[in-house]
């Protein structure tokens, strides 16, 4: 599924996406491949989405995780992490979720990956300067000097594409139901547009699962099974 297909489904503006990328490029540091490679390669990585199963999956995972396991929060799920005083290693967001939790996590050492798209330019300008810790940028169009494109579209699947790029041992999906119900940590959204984005995310992850050597396992009990992604 490429940008043109997504553009047709959801009505993206390439011009606005490029403008957002350029704004973010001026606000973030040069991408640090070493940091991500050393932080992810060969490790067990857990990516936490904002689905209705998030709380159940969260407490199941964090209670049994090893110290070296990597936790990646996605957008609004950072609110649950911060509420439980647990810092993920990485936070991936387009700034639609809990902004105070995002800022607090970043200031406390969480590496934050901010995504630029045509609808969040104002938030990029307002929020990114408040991120005093380590922050990098991604885009859904052509990359620039400081902003990368690893694939994916929604926060959840972009986090998984990012993790897969650095070849972890396994990627586990938590709080990713891919069903009709939208979780309480999803932030503000248009329900119709949100369901389209969930469809896009599911399709992109199915494509990734079919071509990567990295096992991708959905931990969500009762969640929708993706082709080639086994439910544990």
């Amino acid at each position: 599924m490429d940008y043109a297909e997504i553009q047709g489904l959801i009505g993206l503006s390439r011009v606005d996406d490029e403008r957002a990328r350029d704004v973010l490029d001026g606000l973030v540091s040069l991408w640090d491949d070493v940091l991500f490679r050393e932080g992810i390669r060969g490790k067990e990585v857990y990516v936490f989405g904002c689905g209705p199963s998030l709380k159940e999956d969260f407490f199941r995972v964090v209670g049994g995780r090893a110290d070296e396991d990597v936790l990646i929060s996605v957008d609004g799920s950072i609110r649950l992490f911060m509420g439980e005083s647990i810092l993920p290693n990485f936070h991936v967001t387009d700034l639609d979720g809990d902004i105070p939790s995002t800022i607090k996590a970043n200031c406390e050492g969480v590496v934050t990956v901010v995504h630029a798209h045509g609808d969040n330019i104002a938030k990029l300008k307002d929020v990114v300067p408040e991120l005093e810790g380590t922050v990098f940028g991604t885009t859904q169009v052509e990359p620039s000097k400081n902003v990368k494109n690893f694939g994916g579209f929604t926060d959840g699947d972009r986090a998984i594409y990012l993790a897969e790029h650095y070849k972890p041992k396994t990627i586990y999906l938590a709080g990713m139901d891919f069903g009709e119900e939208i979780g309480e940590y999803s932030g503000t959204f248009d329900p119709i547009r949100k369901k389209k984005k969930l469809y896009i995310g599911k399709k992109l992850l199915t494509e990734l699962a079919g071509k990567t050597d990295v096992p991708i396992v959905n931990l969500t009990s009762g969640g929708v099974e993706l082709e080639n992604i086994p439910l544990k």
Side-chain angles (χ1 to χ4, degrees):
M1 194 173 201
D2 60 18
Y3 182 89
E5 291 178 89
I6 297 171
Q7 189 176 35
L9 277 172
I10 211 164
L12 303 177
S13 165
R14 182 179 286 274
V15 170
D16 288 345
D17 283 345
E18 291 172 344
R19 184 180 299 119
R21 173 204 62 202
D22 293 343
V23 167
L24 186 58
D25 186 90
L27 296 170
V28 296
S29 303
L30 182 67
W31 190 272
D32 188 343
D33 264 314
V34 174
L35 184 154
F36 285 90
R37 186 168 58 249
E38 291 183 350
I40 293 174
R41 188 178 296 276
K43 298 182 180 181
E44 305 280 11
V45 172
Y46 295 83
V47 181
F48 294 83
C50 298
S53 65
L54 173 60
K55 281 185 178 179
E56 178 184 348
D57 289 352
F58 177 87
F59 290 112
R60 182 152 44 97
V61 169
V62 299
R65 76 189 190 282
D67 290 341
E68 63 270 19
D69 291 344
V70 178
L71 307 180
I72 301 179
S73 57
V74 171
D75 209 40
S77 68
I78 191 64
R79 178 160 60 94
L80 179 57
F81 274 87
M82 299 308 291
E84 296 298 324
S85 299
I86 295 173
L87 294 179
N89 302 85
F90 302 96
H91 179 51
V92 175
T93 179
D94 64 357
L95 306 178
D96 280 344
D98 190 293
I99 298 302
S101 293
T102 295
I103 294 172
K104 187 172 188 292
N106 178 260
C107 291
E108 292 185 10
V110 176
V111 175
T112 305
V113 179
V114 175
H115 186 67
H117 56 71
D119 293 337
N120 74 344
I121 294 175
K123 285 186 177 180
L124 295 175
K125 293 178 179 178
D126 290 344
V127 178
V128 176
E130 298 294 319
L131 301 175
E132 298 177 355
T134 304
V135 56
F136 301 103
T138 59
T139 179
Q140 56 206 29
V141 289
E142 292 75 15
S144 59
K145 179 182 177 182
N146 295 328
V147 180
K148 297 286 190 177
N149 183 348
F150 296 99
F153 178 68
T154 71
D155 287 320
D157 53 268
R158 280 190 295 99
I160 294 161
Y161 270 77
L162 168 62
E164 189 277 337
H165 178 81
Y166 290 100
K167 302 306 175 189
K169 182 178 180 181
T170 310
I171 300 174
Y172 295 99
L173 313 187
M176 294 195 185
D177 303 72
F178 299 104
E180 291 294 314
E181 185 181 354
I182 298 172
E184 64 177 289
Y185 292 90
S186 290
T188 57
F189 55 84
D190 174 340
I192 295 175
R193 186 177 178 87
K194 182 71 174 182
K195 289 179 181 179
K196 288 182 179 179
K197 291 172 73 175
L198 287 172
Y199 165 78
I200 292 167
K202 178 183 175 184
K203 188 166 184 180
L204 288 169
L205 288 182
T206 299
E207 291 175 2
L208 179 63
K211 65 185 180 183
T212 183
D213 293 330
V214 177
I216 302 176
V217 180
N218 192 348
L219 296 177
T220 298
S221 176
V224 175
E225 186 169 359
L226 305 180
E227 183 180 350
N228 298 322
I229 300 184
L231 288 171
K232 188 172 181 180

